[in-house]
Amino acid sequence: LLSVLRDCIDLRAALLAAGREVPADLGLRIEGMAAMLRLLQHGDGGLALFNGANEGEDLQIGLVLQRAASGKGALQSAPASGFQRLQAGRSLVLLDSGRPPPPGYDAQAHAGTLSLEMSVGRERLIVNCGAQAGPVGGSGTSAGGAGDWAAAQRSTAAHSTVTVADTNSSEVFAGGGFGARRANVTCRRDEDEGSIWLEASHDGYQPIFGITHHRRLYLSANGDDLRGEDRLSREEDGVQKDSAPRDFAVRFHLHPEVQAMAAQDGRSVVLRLPKGGGWRLRSAGAVLTLEPSVYLGQPGQVRRSQQIVLSGSLAEGGTTVKWALQRLESAR
């Protein structure tokens, strides 16, 4: 999107320099692309890590948006593209609410359906692992084969969403692209007096496990309270599925500069941002642990990080995990 937008801006500049009329449609396209690019921007000016993207250079992105000269702000909802932006106070949450692209457009797509990222001001808090092109090593991380590494980056477990039975939410081919099993997604958004609610679901696990993932999000008007509910329901749809309990994991990958400390009660984690802001994540309905992760958001870098994992086994009738991420009073 950034590359095409830059090309369109250069085309407009060339036409103006030649004294030629600029088609009205070109201006509308530039305006629309600029608003979409802003939707995918975090507070630090870089891009969200969905579907093979990395942060990019914030100065370059800012320059392109400045040259776009668009009066429109960031889109808050892009249902056709499948992204949602929840912004309140200093908090920003981005959600991948779209289904995987069709064959031919899915070579680098990730199985990160309903994954989220969060930043506070100019600091990233919750992220996806990101992506690097080709084999990547260094920083104590063993990449293995290039194909294995690419598949790992594209896996559901590399995203801040729910994984069932260590299985991707859509069928991922190691050599690129998706198989026949692709998640269908529904999403509904409501707003009232600055507070934002999202209700989304996907059926990627339906064909193999008879399970649908429902994710509900609420962001308070002041941005200090993000609450979530991840529900895994068994919906047979007339097809006999294996009803045995399945392991699940709700993952929150943390930016490498975030410090995390698990509380002694085993139900919460305190998070510290580099500039001193504090947040606490509490959960119910799952076992909370802190585990190693990896961050690939910047080209050529593999950085060690941590992830919060809420795990358990599905009950016969389904499972609901509730969590809340709230700013600490002392950090206000």
Side-chain angles (χ1 to χ4, degrees):
L1 177 64
L2 176 64
S3 177
V4 174
L5 175 58
R6 184 172 54 231
D7 289 344
C8 288
I9 293 171
D10 289 342
L11 177 59
R12 181 177 65 182
L15 290 169
L16 289 172
R20 303 287 295 273
E21 182 180 355
V22 178
D25 190 57
L26 179 60
L28 291 174
R29 294 291 179 254
I30 290 173
E31 187 175 80
M33 283 189 284
M36 184 67 198
L37 190 65
R38 289 190 174 99
L39 182 154
L40 296 169
Q41 263 191 311
H42 274 290
D44 59 7
L47 300 176
L49 308 183
F50 295 112
N51 292 302
N54 57 51
E55 292 182 16
E57 299 181 11
D58 57 341
L59 293 178
Q60 180 195 51
I61 298 167
L63 178 60
V64 170
L65 289 172
Q66 182 179 3
R67 291 184 61 209
S70 169
K72 294 183 64 174
L75 286 176
Q76 301 302 306
S77 177
S81 300
F83 291 102
Q84 295 286 334
R85 181 183 178 96
L86 292 73
Q87 190 165 15
R90 300 183 68 245
S91 297
L92 169 65
V93 178
L94 301 174
L95 180 77
D96 180 351
S97 59
R99 66 167 304 178
Y105 298 89
D106 58 358
Q108 302 300 323
H110 288 204
T113 307
L114 301 193
S115 62
L116 64 83
E117 294 198 334
M118 180 177 181
S119 57
V120 181
R122 296 185 59 84
E123 299 175 287
R124 300 192 187 213
L125 180 57
I126 298 173
V127 296
N128 294 313
C129 289
Q132 299 282 5
V136 181
S139 301
T141 302
S142 175
D148 292 342
W149 182 245
Q153 297 173 85
R154 298 172 61 217
S155 69
T156 302
H159 298 77
S160 294
T161 186
V162 175
T163 308
V164 176
D166 290 324
T167 303
N168 292 322
S169 57
S170 293
E171 184 181 9
V172 176
F173 289 154
F178 283 2
R181 181 172 61 85
R182 298 163 182 258
N184 293 297
V185 183
T186 65
C187 184
R188 175 181 173 181
R189 179 184 181 118
D190 292 297
E191 301 184 33
D192 183 36
E193 296 183 353
S195 298
I196 307 170
W197 290 262
L198 277 184
E199 293 191 24
S201 67
H202 80 78
D203 64 357
Y205 292 118
Q206 183 64 228
I208 50 177
F209 300 137
I211 292 170
T212 299
H213 174 205
H214 307 265
R215 169 162 273 188
R216 301 175 65 190
L217 299 177
Y218 162 79
L219 181 63
S220 64
N222 60 8
D224 292 344
D225 187 2
L226 172 65
R227 301 189 187 187
E229 177 183 287
D230 286 295
R231 180 168 60 90
L232 297 168
S233 63
R234 295 188 181 276
E235 301 170 9
E236 301 299 332
D237 285 343
V239 180
Q240 185 63 36
K241 302 290 195 313
D242 183 0
S243 60
R246 298 276 181 177
D247 294 338
F248 69 86
V250 185
R251 288 183 167 86
F252 301 92
H253 294 276
L254 303 175
H255 190 272
E257 296 181 5
V258 175
Q259 296 181 350
M261 180 178 296
Q264 293 182 347
D265 61 9
R267 295 181 57 188
S268 63
V269 175
V270 173
L271 306 173
R272 292 289 179 183
L273 291 164
K275 295 181 181 178
W279 291 74
R280 185 191 303 275
L281 188 145
R282 295 184 175 90
S283 66
V287 177
L288 185 153
T289 56
L290 268 177
E291 300 181 9
S293 183
V294 63
Y295 185 71
L296 309 167
Q298 298 168 326
Q301 297 185 23
V302 179
R303 302 176 65 185
R304 294 178 178 177
S305 59
Q306 292 180 288
Q307 59 176 311
I308 303 169
V309 182
L310 311 178
S311 60
S313 294
L314 271 73
E316 184 68 25
T319 295
T320 298
V321 177
K322 296 183 178 182
W323 49 270
L325 186 57
Q326 298 166 319
R327 188 190 297 270
L328 295 176
E329 291 291 335
S330 59
R332 291 179 188 270

